[in-house]
Amino acid sequence: MNFSTPQEDYVYPGHQACPGCNAALAVRFILQVLGRNTVAVISACCWTNIGGAYPNTSLKVSSLHSLFAASAAMATGVRLGLKRQGKGETNVLVIAGDGGTFDIGLQSLSGAVERNEDFLYVCYDNEGYMNTGNQRSSATPWGAATTTTAAGNLEASIKKNILEIMAAHRIPYAATACAAFPDDLKSKVEKASRIKGSKFLHILSPCPVGWGYPTEYMVKMGRLAVDSKVFPLYEVYDGFQYNITLEPKGNPVREYLKLQNRFRYLNDDEVEWIQKNVDKEWGILTERAKIRKYIKDQDINDSVEGKYKGI
Ligand SMILES: Cc1ncc(C[n+]2csc(CCOP(=O)(O)OP(=O)(O)O)c2C)c(N)n1
Ligand code: SF4
């Protein structure tokens, strides 16, 4: 992929993220694309600390801190306020963790995207409630030890598929991304910025603190997640047109798991079970990606007139 954006940063250095934080890097890349004309609504999460409060904020764009459950509702209000002021071109960006998205913010998010509110909702997913000490969320993968799922005391639940939930709302654009693949991430933000209505980005954000790996593996961890098919990179238009944006190398899942302390106690059978699940999910995704061809062949085009600004 050949993609370049202006390199101006809208996140000041010296912010309060831990060293090696992928969530900090992801938002930095996103704002490089969106630019200064952006209002960020920040859910209670690690980014509350990273962004900080005025006058010590690390952000060069306007920002509001939101209640845990209310980010999408607040973004709706911000969009309406901007419209009233004739500032329709300003980007409205939500920054929220997986706890604030998959769990406690889900109802306001569902309501807002069902109304097709015009904002970009970014969920940076570090697979736990990290800001409050690494408790399990519904984004935590099966087998991961957290402070509420001790090693050897596994919960039966598998990770909630938030992208499928968003796609089921038939929103114009939903995609996965990871800061370890900056061009892919930036091109998706750029696409989203040209689409009117609700856009959702699910960004895997490996966290050295909660996952237990050395900070120098920051990028490697994201690359392994994608290349082992644990976290495929793809996009979904209108809820059903799937497009895989990067072909994974197909590394064994074991390579990804073994670098993380949270999976240290898994036995061979459990690792094999995770591998089978990853293969199954990948198979389902690749089948879904074929629907695009079906839609083209059947000449089905149900895009709502005026929904897009220009793709
Ligand atoms: C209603 C409510 N419950 C609990 C909290 C405490 N709290 C603040 S941040 C946070 C964790 C957020 O987790 P997540 O959304 O995954 O973001 P992360 O911290 O991982 O970046 C919690 C539980 C809160 N602010 N409001
Ligand atoms: S706890 Fe994890 S997600 Fe939170 S700031 Fe530190 S590295 Fe980033």
Side-chain angles (χ1 to χ4, degrees):
M1 196 180 300
N2 190 6
F3 186 80
S4 68
T5 47
Q7 290 300 300
E8 177 156 4
D9 268 325
Y10 297 91
V11 181
Y12 288 107
H15 54 66
Q16 295 199 57
C18 312
C21 175
N22 279 270
L25 191 58
V27 172
R28 190 174 151 211
F29 288 148
I30 289 164
L31 287 175
Q32 280 177 356
V33 179
L34 294 183
R36 190 181 283 281
N37 193 15
T38 301
V39 176
V41 175
I42 306 175
S43 166
C45 58
C46 282
W47 248 101
T48 307
N49 292 333
I50 303 168
Y54 184 82
N56 298 317
T57 176
S58 67
L59 288 170
K60 293 186 195 174
V61 301
S62 301
S63 60
L64 293 88
H65 291 279
S66 136
L67 292 177
F68 213 5
S71 314
M74 196 183 256
T76 303
V78 169
R79 169 55 72 211
L80 284 173
L82 288 166
K83 195 177 165 196
R84 191 81 184 253
Q85 295 173 42
K87 295 178 180 169
E89 293 308 307
T90 302
N91 302 299
V92 178
L93 169 71
V94 177
I95 302 170
D98 49 284
T101 304
F102 289 56
D103 300 334
I104 195 165
L106 191 58
Q107 57 83 15
S108 72
L109 174 59
S110 175
V113 302
E114 189 263 330
R115 297 189 303 270
N116 201 22
E117 300 290 351
D118 186 19
F119 58 59
L120 171 59
Y121 189 109
V122 167
C123 170
Y124 70 87
D125 176 8
N126 52 28
E127 302 190 325
Y129 291 80
M130 294 309 171
N131 188 45
T132 42
N134 188 16
Q135 295 88 13
R136 178 191 175 275
S137 80
S138 59
T140 304
W142 183 88
T146 68
T147 50
T148 48
T149 49
N153 186 20
L154 296 176
E155 290 208 5
S157 329
I158 56 167
K159 179 170 178 148
K160 194 186 273 184
N161 192 331
I162 194 70
L163 212 76
E164 281 305 304
I165 294 172
M166 287 297 107
H169 287 74
R170 300 287 191 249
I171 60 173
Y173 188 72
T176 63
C178 181
F181 294 87
D183 287 354
D184 181 81
L185 166 59
K186 288 181 180 185
S187 75
K188 285 169 177 165
V189 176
E190 207 268 333
K191 260 181 229 174
S193 73
R194 286 190 284 121
I195 297 172
K196 204 166 165 52
S198 299
K199 288 85 59 176
F200 182 86
L201 278 187
H202 177 202
I203 302 189
L204 187 73
S205 299
C207 163
V209 178
W211 297 16
Y213 63 83
T215 51
E216 60 267 29
Y217 289 173
M218 171 187 186
V219 172
K220 181 177 182 161
M221 204 54 67
R223 289 195 171 254
L224 272 177
V226 172
D227 279 331
S228 62
K229 303 176 182 167
V230 167
F231 192 82
L233 297 181
Y234 65 103
E235 51 194 7
V236 189
Y237 294 90
D238 293 324
F240 51 84
Q241 298 201 49
Y242 285 71
N243 180 32
I244 296 168
T245 57
L246 194 128
E247 197 57 38
K249 287 182 183 153
N251 299 43
V253 173
R254 179 181 296 277
E255 279 184 33
Y256 171 65
L257 301 178
K258 76 177 181 201
L259 299 179
Q260 304 173 51
N261 205 29
R262 63 181 177 157
F263 295 116
R264 68 194 177 282
Y265 64 91
L266 292 180
N267 63 35
D268 287 348
D269 287 348
E270 287 163 338
V271 170
E272 193 46 40
W273 185 82
I274 293 173
Q275 178 74 60
K276 276 192 181 139
N277 262 300
V278 166
D279 293 342
K280 182 181 79 183
E281 293 289 345
W282 173 254
I284 293 169
L285 177 63
T286 50
E287 287 303 310
R288 285 198 171 115
K290 292 178 191 162
I291 296 172
R292 204 179 169 90
K293 185 177 173 319
Y294 169 80
I295 291 165
K296 213 171 159 214
D297 290 350
Q298 302 293 314
D299 198 21
I300 300 169
N301 181 8
D302 79 338
S303 304
V304 177
E305 190 82 26
K307 194 158 74 175
Y308 300 120
K309 267 189 196 167
I311 58 160

